[in-house]
Coordinates of all heavy atoms in Angstrom, one line a residue:
M910 N -62.7 86.3 -2.6 CA -62.1 87.7 -2.8 C -62.9 88.5 -3.7 O -63.2 88.0 -4.8 CB -60.7 87.4 -3.3 CG -59.8 88.6 -3.2 SD -58.1 88.3 -4.0 CE -57.6 86.8 -3.1
E911 N -63.3 89.7 -3.3 CA -64.0 90.6 -4.2 C -63.1 91.8 -4.6 O -62.5 92.4 -3.7 CB -65.3 91.1 -3.4 CG -66.1 91.9 -4.3 CD -67.4 92.2 -3.5 OE1 -67.9 91.5 -2.7 OE2 -67.9 93.4 -3.7
I912 N -63.1 92.1 -5.8 CA -62.4 93.3 -6.3 C -63.4 94.3 -6.4 O -64.4 94.2 -7.1 CB -61.7 92.9 -7.6 CG1 -60.6 91.8 -7.3 CG2 -61.0 94.1 -8.1 CD1 -59.9 91.3 -8.5
E913 N -63.0 95.6 -6.0 CA -63.9 96.7 -6.1 C -63.1 97.9 -6.7 O -62.0 98.1 -6.3 CB -64.4 97.1 -4.7 CG -65.1 98.4 -4.6 CD -65.4 98.7 -3.1 OE1 -65.3 97.9 -2.3 OE2 -65.9 99.8 -3.0
K914 N -63.7 98.5 -7.6 CA -63.1 99.7 -8.2 C -63.5 101.0 -7.3 O -64.6 101.1 -6.9 CB -63.7 100.1 -9.5 CG -63.1 101.3 -10.2 CD -63.7 101.6 -11.5 CE -63.3 103.0 -12.1 NZ -63.8 103.4 -13.3
I915 N -62.5 101.7 -6.9 CA -62.7 102.9 -6.0 C -63.3 104.0 -6.9 O -62.8 104.4 -7.9 CB -61.4 103.3 -5.3 CG1 -60.9 102.2 -4.4 CG2 -61.6 104.6 -4.6 CD1 -59.6 102.6 -3.8
Q916 N -64.4 104.5 -6.5 CA -65.0 105.6 -7.2 C -64.6 106.9 -6.8 O -64.6 107.8 -7.6 CB -66.6 105.4 -7.1 CG -67.2 104.1 -7.6 CD -66.9 104.0 -9.1 OE1 -66.9 104.8 -9.9 NE2 -66.7 102.7 -9.5
S917 N -64.4 107.1 -5.4 CA -64.0 108.4 -5.0 C -62.9 108.0 -3.8 O -63.0 107.2 -3.1 CB -65.1 109.2 -4.4 OG -65.7 108.5 -3.3
L918 N -61.9 109.1 -3.7 CA -60.9 108.9 -2.9 C -61.1 109.8 -1.7 O -60.6 111.0 -1.7 CB -59.6 109.1 -3.5 CG -59.1 108.1 -4.6 CD1 -58.0 108.7 -5.4 CD2 -58.8 106.8 -3.9
S919 N -61.8 109.3 -0.5 CA -61.7 110.1 0.7 C -60.6 110.0 1.4 O -59.6 109.3 1.1 CB -63.0 109.4 1.6 OG -62.5 108.2 2.0
D920 N -60.3 110.9 2.2 CA -59.2 111.0 3.2 C -58.9 109.6 3.9 O -57.9 109.1 4.0 CB -59.2 112.1 4.2 CG -59.0 113.3 3.6 OD1 -58.4 113.6 2.5 OD2 -59.4 114.4 4.2
E921 N -60.0 109.0 4.3 CA -59.9 107.7 4.9 C -59.4 106.6 3.9 O -58.6 105.8 4.4 CB -61.3 107.2 5.4 CG -61.3 105.9 6.2 CD -62.7 105.5 6.6 OE1 -63.6 106.4 6.6 OE2 -62.9 104.2 7.0
I922 N -59.8 106.5 2.8 CA -59.4 105.5 1.8 C -57.9 105.9 1.4 O -57.1 104.9 1.4 CB -60.3 105.5 0.5 CG1 -61.6 105.0 0.8 CG2 -59.6 104.9 -0.6 CD1 -62.6 105.0 -0.3
L923 N -57.6 107.2 1.3 CA -56.1 107.5 0.9 C -55.2 107.1 2.1 O -54.2 106.5 1.8 CB -56.0 109.0 0.7 CG -56.6 109.5 -0.7 CD1 -56.7 111.0 -0.7 CD2 -55.7 109.0 -1.8
D924 N -55.7 107.4 3.3 CA -54.8 106.9 4.5 C -54.6 105.4 4.5 O -53.6 104.9 4.8 CB -55.5 107.4 5.7 CG -55.4 109.0 5.9 OD1 -54.6 109.6 5.1 OD2 -56.1 109.5 6.7
E925 N -55.8 104.6 4.3 CA -55.7 103.3 4.3 C -54.8 102.7 3.1 O -54.0 101.7 3.3 CB -57.2 102.7 4.2 CG -57.2 101.2 4.6 CD -58.7 100.9 4.8 OE1 -59.6 101.6 5.0 OE2 -58.8 99.6 4.6
L926 N -55.0 103.2 1.9 CA -54.1 102.8 0.8 C -52.6 103.1 1.1 O -51.8 102.2 0.9 CB -54.5 103.6 -0.4 CG -55.8 103.3 -1.2 CD1 -56.1 104.1 -2.2 CD2 -55.6 101.8 -1.8
L927 N -52.3 104.3 1.8 CA -51.0 104.6 2.0 C -50.4 103.6 3.2 O -49.2 103.3 2.9 CB -50.9 106.0 2.6 CG -49.5 106.6 2.8 CD1 -48.8 106.7 1.3 CD2 -49.5 107.9 3.5
I928 N -51.2 103.1 3.9 CA -50.7 102.1 4.9 C -50.2 100.8 4.3 O -49.3 100.3 4.5 CB -51.8 101.8 6.1 CG1 -52.0 103.1 7.1 CG2 -51.5 100.5 6.8 CD1 -53.1 103.0 7.9
V929 N -51.1 100.4 3.3 CA -50.8 99.1 2.5 C -49.6 99.4 1.8 O -48.7 98.6 1.6 CB -52.0 98.9 1.6 CG1 -51.8 97.6 0.8 CG2 -53.3 98.4 2.6
W930 N -49.6 100.6 1.1 CA -48.4 101.0 0.2 C -47.1 100.8 1.0 O -46.1 100.3 0.7 CB -48.5 102.2 -0.4 CG -47.3 102.8 -1.0 CD1 -46.9 102.5 -2.3 CD2 -46.3 103.5 -0.5 NE1 -45.6 103.0 -2.6 CE2 -45.2 103.8 -1.5 CE3 -46.0 104.2 0.7 CZ2 -44.1 104.5 -1.2 CZ3 -44.9 104.9 0.9 CH2 -44.0 105.1 0.0
E931 N -47.1 101.5 2.2 CA -45.9 101.5 3.1 C -45.5 100.2 3.6 O -44.3 99.9 3.6 CB -46.1 102.5 4.3 CG -44.9 102.7 5.0 CD -44.9 103.8 6.2 OE1 -46.2 104.5 6.2 OE2 -44.1 104.0 6.9
K932 N -46.3 99.4 4.0 CA -46.1 98.0 4.5 C -45.5 97.2 3.3 O -44.5 96.6 3.6 CB -47.3 97.4 5.0 CG -47.8 97.8 6.3 CD -49.0 97.1 6.8 CE -49.6 97.5 8.2 NZ -50.8 96.8 8.5
S933 N -45.9 97.5 2.2 CA -45.5 96.7 1.0 C -44.0 97.2 0.6 O -43.1 96.3 0.4 CB -46.4 96.9 -0.3 OG -45.8 96.4 -1.3
V934 N -43.9 98.5 0.7 CA -42.4 99.0 0.4 C -41.4 98.6 1.4 O -40.3 98.2 1.1 CB -42.6 100.6 0.3 CG1 -41.2 101.3 0.3 CG2 -43.3 100.9 -1.1
R935 N -41.8 98.7 2.6 CA -40.9 98.3 3.8 C -40.5 96.8 3.7 O -39.5 96.5 4.1 CB -41.4 98.7 5.1 CG -41.4 100.3 5.3 CD -42.0 100.5 6.8 NE -42.1 102.0 6.9 CZ -41.0 102.7 7.1 NH1 -39.8 102.3 7.3 NH2 -41.2 104.0 7.3
S936 N -41.4 95.9 3.2 CA -41.1 94.5 3.1 C -40.4 94.1 1.9 O -39.9 93.1 1.8 CB -42.3 93.7 3.4 OG -43.2 93.9 2.3
S937 N -40.4 95.0 0.9 CA -39.8 94.5 -0.3 C -38.7 95.5 -0.9 O -38.0 95.2 -1.9 CB -40.9 94.4 -1.4 OG -41.5 95.8 -1.6
H938 N -38.6 96.6 -0.5 CA -37.6 97.7 -1.0 C -36.6 98.0 0.2 O -36.5 99.3 0.5 CB -38.4 98.9 -1.4 CG -39.2 98.8 -2.5 ND1 -40.3 98.0 -2.6 CD2 -39.1 99.4 -3.8 CE1 -40.8 98.1 -3.8 NE2 -40.1 98.8 -4.6
H939 N -35.8 97.0 0.5 CA -34.9 97.2 1.6 C -33.7 98.2 1.3 O -33.0 98.6 2.1 CB -34.3 95.8 2.0 CG -35.3 94.8 2.4 ND1 -36.0 94.9 3.6 CD2 -35.9 93.8 1.7 CE1 -36.9 93.9 3.6 NE2 -36.8 93.3 2.5
F940 N -33.6 98.5 0.1 CA -32.6 99.5 -0.3 C -33.0 100.8 -0.1 O -32.2 101.8 -0.2 CB -32.3 99.3 -1.9 CG -33.5 99.3 -2.8 CD1 -33.9 100.5 -3.3 CD2 -34.2 98.2 -3.1 CE1 -35.0 100.7 -4.2 CE2 -35.3 98.3 -4.0 CZ -35.8 99.5 -4.5
L941 N -34.2 101.2 0.1 CA -34.7 102.5 0.4 C -34.3 103.0 1.9 O -34.5 102.1 2.9 CB -36.2 102.6 0.3 CG -36.7 102.5 -1.2 CD1 -38.2 102.6 -1.3 CD2 -36.1 103.7 -2.1
K942 N -33.9 104.1 2.0 CA -33.7 104.6 3.4 C -35.0 105.2 3.9 O -36.0 105.5 3.1 CB -32.6 105.8 3.2 CG -31.3 105.4 2.9 CD -30.5 106.6 2.6 CE -29.1 106.1 1.9 NZ -28.3 107.3 1.5
E943 N -35.0 105.5 5.3 CA -36.2 106.0 5.8 C -36.6 107.4 5.2 O -37.8 107.6 5.0 CB -36.0 106.1 7.4 CG -37.1 106.6 8.1 CD -38.3 105.7 8.2 OE1 -38.1 104.6 8.0 OE2 -39.5 106.2 8.2
E944 N -35.7 108.1 5.0 CA -35.9 109.4 4.3 C -36.5 109.4 3.0 O -37.3 110.2 2.5 CB -34.7 110.5 4.4 CG -33.5 109.9 3.7 CD -32.5 109.2 4.8 OE1 -32.8 108.7 5.7 OE2 -31.3 109.2 4.3
D945 N -36.1 108.2 2.3 CA -36.8 108.1 1.0 C -38.2 107.8 1.1 O -39.1 108.3 0.3 CB -36.0 106.8 0.2 CG -34.6 107.1 0.0 OD1 -34.2 108.3 -0.2 OD2 -33.7 106.1 -0.1
I946 N -38.5 107.0 1.9 CA -39.9 106.5 2.2 C -40.7 107.7 2.6 O -41.8 108.0 2.1 CB -40.1 105.3 3.2 CG1 -39.4 104.1 2.7 CG2 -41.5 105.1 3.5 CD1 -39.2 103.0 3.7
E947 N -40.2 108.5 3.5 CA -41.0 109.6 4.1 C -41.1 110.7 2.9 O -42.1 111.5 2.9 CB -40.2 110.3 5.2 CG -40.3 109.4 6.5 CD -41.6 109.1 6.9 OE1 -42.5 110.1 6.9 OE2 -42.0 107.9 7.2
Y948 N -40.1 110.7 2.0 CA -40.2 111.7 0.9 C -41.4 111.2 0.0 O -42.1 112.2 -0.5 CB -38.8 111.7 0.1 CG -39.0 112.4 -1.1 CD1 -38.9 113.7 -1.2 CD2 -39.1 111.7 -2.4 CE1 -38.9 114.5 -2.5 CE2 -39.3 112.4 -3.6 CZ -39.2 113.8 -3.6 OH -39.3 114.4 -4.8
F949 N -41.5 110.0 -0.4 CA -42.4 109.6 -1.3 C -43.8 109.5 -0.8 O -44.8 109.5 -1.4 CB -42.1 108.2 -1.8 CG -41.0 108.3 -2.9 CD1 -39.7 107.9 -2.7 CD2 -41.2 108.8 -4.1 CE1 -38.7 108.0 -3.7 CE2 -40.3 108.9 -5.1 CZ -39.0 108.5 -4.9
K950 N -44.0 109.3 0.6 CA -45.4 109.2 1.2 C -46.4 110.2 0.7 O -47.5 109.9 0.3 CB -45.3 109.0 2.7 CG -44.8 107.6 3.1 CD -44.7 107.5 4.6 CE -45.8 107.7 5.4 NZ -45.6 107.5 6.9
P951 N -46.1 111.5 0.9 CA -47.1 112.5 0.5 C -47.3 112.5 -1.0 O -48.4 112.8 -1.5 CB -46.6 113.9 1.0 CG -45.1 113.7 1.3 CD -44.9 112.1 1.6
L952 N -46.3 112.3 -1.7 CA -46.5 112.2 -3.2 C -47.4 111.0 -3.6 O -48.4 111.2 -4.4 CB -45.1 112.0 -3.9 CG -44.0 113.2 -3.8 CD1 -42.8 112.8 -4.3 CD2 -44.6 114.4 -4.6
I953 N -47.2 109.9 -3.0 CA -48.0 108.7 -3.3 C -49.4 109.0 -2.9 O -50.3 108.9 -3.7 CB -47.5 107.5 -2.5 CG1 -46.1 107.1 -2.9 CG2 -48.5 106.4 -2.6 CD1 -46.1 106.6 -4.4
R954 N -49.6 109.5 -1.7 CA -51.0 109.8 -1.2 C -51.8 110.9 -2.0 O -53.0 110.7 -2.4 CB -51.0 110.1 0.3 CG -52.4 110.3 0.9 CD -52.2 110.9 2.2 NE -53.6 110.9 2.9 CZ -54.5 111.9 2.7 NH1 -54.4 112.8 1.7 NH2 -55.6 111.7 3.3
N955 N -51.1 112.0 -2.2 CA -51.6 113.2 -2.7 C -51.7 113.4 -4.2 O -52.4 114.1 -4.7 CB -51.2 114.3 -2.0 CG -51.4 114.4 -0.4 OD1 -52.5 113.9 0.0 ND2 -50.4 114.7 0.3
Q956 N -50.8 112.7 -4.8 CA -50.6 112.9 -6.3 C -50.7 111.6 -7.2 O -51.4 111.6 -8.1 CB -49.1 113.6 -6.7 CG -49.2 114.9 -6.1 CD -47.8 115.5 -6.4 OE1 -47.1 115.3 -7.5 NE2 -47.4 116.5 -5.7
Y957 N -50.0 110.5 -6.7 CA -50.0 109.3 -7.5 C -51.3 108.5 -7.4 O -51.9 108.0 -8.5 CB -48.8 108.5 -7.1 CG -47.6 109.2 -7.4 CD1 -46.4 108.8 -6.8 CD2 -47.4 110.3 -8.1 CE1 -45.1 109.3 -6.9 CE2 -46.1 110.9 -8.2 CZ -45.0 110.5 -7.7 OH -43.9 111.1 -7.9
F958 N -51.9 108.3 -6.1 CA -53.2 107.7 -6.0 C -54.3 108.3 -6.8 O -54.9 107.7 -7.6 CB -53.6 107.5 -4.5 CG -52.7 106.4 -3.8 CD1 -52.6 106.6 -2.4 CD2 -52.2 105.4 -4.5 CE1 -51.9 105.6 -1.7 CE2 -51.4 104.5 -3.7 CZ -51.4 104.5 -2.4
P959 N -54.4 109.6 -6.7 CA -55.5 110.3 -7.5 C -55.4 110.2 -9.0 O -56.2 110.4 -9.8 CB -55.5 111.8 -6.9 CG -54.8 111.7 -5.6 CD -53.8 110.4 -5.7
A960 N -54.1 109.9 -9.4 CA -53.8 110.1 -10.8 C -54.1 108.6 -11.7 O -54.1 108.6 -12.9 CB -52.3 110.4 -11.1
V961 N -54.3 107.6 -10.8 CA -54.6 106.3 -11.5 C -55.9 105.6 -11.1 O -56.6 106.1 -10.1 CB -53.5 105.3 -11.1 CG1 -52.2 105.8 -11.6 CG2 -53.5 105.1 -9.7
K962 N -56.4 104.7 -11.9 CA -57.6 104.1 -11.6 C -57.3 102.9 -10.6 O -56.5 102.1 -10.9 CB -58.2 103.4 -12.9 CG -59.6 102.8 -12.6 CD -60.1 102.2 -14.1 CE -60.1 103.2 -15.1 NZ -60.7 102.6 -16.3
L963 N -57.9 102.9 -9.5 CA -57.5 102.0 -8.4 C -58.7 100.9 -8.1 O -59.8 101.3 -8.2 CB -57.4 102.7 -7.1 CG -56.0 103.7 -7.0 CD1 -56.1 104.5 -5.9 CD2 -54.8 102.7 -6.9
F964 N -58.3 99.7 -8.0 CA -59.0 98.6 -7.7 C -58.5 98.1 -6.3 O -57.3 98.0 -6.2 CB -59.0 97.5 -8.7 CG -59.6 97.9 -10.0 CD1 -58.8 98.7 -10.9 CD2 -61.0 97.7 -10.4 CE1 -59.5 99.2 -12.2 CE2 -61.5 98.2 -11.7 CZ -60.7 98.9 -12.4
I965 N -59.4 97.7 -5.5 CA -59.0 97.2 -4.2 C -59.5 95.8 -3.8 O -60.5 95.3 -4.4 CB -59.3 98.2 -3.0 CG1 -61.0 98.3 -2.9 CG2 -58.7 99.5 -3.1 CD1 -61.4 99.0 -1.6
V966 N -58.9 95.1 -2.9 CA -59.3 93.9 -2.4 C -59.4 94.2 -0.9 O -58.4 94.5 -0.3 CB -58.4 92.6 -2.7 CG1 -58.8 91.5 -2.0 CG2 -58.4 92.4 -4.3
S967 N -60.5 93.8 -0.3 CA -60.6 94.0 1.2 C -60.6 92.7 1.8 O -60.9 91.7 1.3 CB -62.0 94.7 1.5 OG -62.1 96.0 0.9
N968 N -60.1 92.8 3.1 CA -60.1 91.7 4.0 C -61.3 91.3 4.6 O -62.3 92.1 4.4 CB -58.8 91.7 5.0 CG -59.1 92.8 6.0 OD1 -60.1 93.3 6.3 ND2 -58.0 93.3 6.5
K969 N -61.5 90.3 5.4 CA -62.8 90.1 6.1 C -63.2 91.1 7.1 O -64.4 91.1 7.3 CB -62.5 88.6 7.0 CG -62.4 87.4 6.0 CD -62.1 86.2 6.8 CE -61.8 85.0 5.9 NZ -61.7 83.8 6.6
K970 N -62.3 92.0 7.6 CA -62.7 93.0 8.5 C -63.2 94.3 7.6 O -63.5 95.3 8.3 CB -61.5 93.4 9.4 CG -61.2 92.3 10.3 CD -60.1 92.7 11.3 CE -59.7 91.6 12.1 NZ -58.7 91.9 13.1
G971 N -63.1 94.1 6.3 CA -63.5 95.3 5.4 C -62.4 96.3 5.2 O -62.6 97.4 4.7
R972 N -61.2 96.1 5.6 CA -60.1 96.9 5.4 C -59.3 96.6 4.1 O -59.4 95.5 3.6 CB -59.1 96.8 6.6 CG -59.7 97.0 7.9 CD -60.3 98.3 8.2 NE -59.3 99.3 8.2 CZ -59.8 100.7 8.2 NH1 -60.9 101.0 8.6 NH2 -58.7 101.7 8.2
I973 N -58.8 97.6 3.5 CA -58.1 97.3 2.2 C -56.8 96.5 2.5 O -56.0 96.7 3.3 CB -57.6 98.7 1.6 CG1 -58.9 99.5 1.3 CG2 -56.8 98.4 0.2 CD1 -58.6 101.0 0.8
A974 N -56.8 95.4 1.8 CA -55.7 94.5 1.9 C -54.7 94.5 0.8 O -53.5 94.2 1.0 CB -56.2 93.0 2.0
E975 N -55.2 95.0 -0.4 CA -54.3 95.1 -1.6 C -55.0 95.9 -2.5 O -56.2 96.2 -2.5 CB -53.9 93.7 -2.2 CG -55.0 92.8 -2.3 CD -54.6 91.3 -2.8 OE1 -54.4 91.3 -4.0 OE2 -54.5 90.5 -2.0
F976 N -54.1 96.5 -3.4 CA -54.8 97.5 -4.5 C -53.9 97.2 -5.8 O -52.9 96.8 -5.7 CB -54.8 98.8 -4.0 CG -53.4 99.5 -3.7 CD1 -52.8 100.2 -4.8 CD2 -52.8 99.4 -2.6 CE1 -51.6 100.7 -4.5 CE2 -51.7 100.0 -2.2 CZ -51.0 100.7 -3.2

């Protein structure tokens, strides 16, 4: 398992991070309604991800598996 620091957030990386985030939220936050998730998605992608230092772990296919 290799941990990598993300140096720049391209649209492709942001989209991939959002997929991982959404899968995680849907599997662990059963109390959230669909409209809650949809409300937070653009905030997470466009404001919260760029505001923090992100490290990722990629799977064997080179896709982001966790962050």
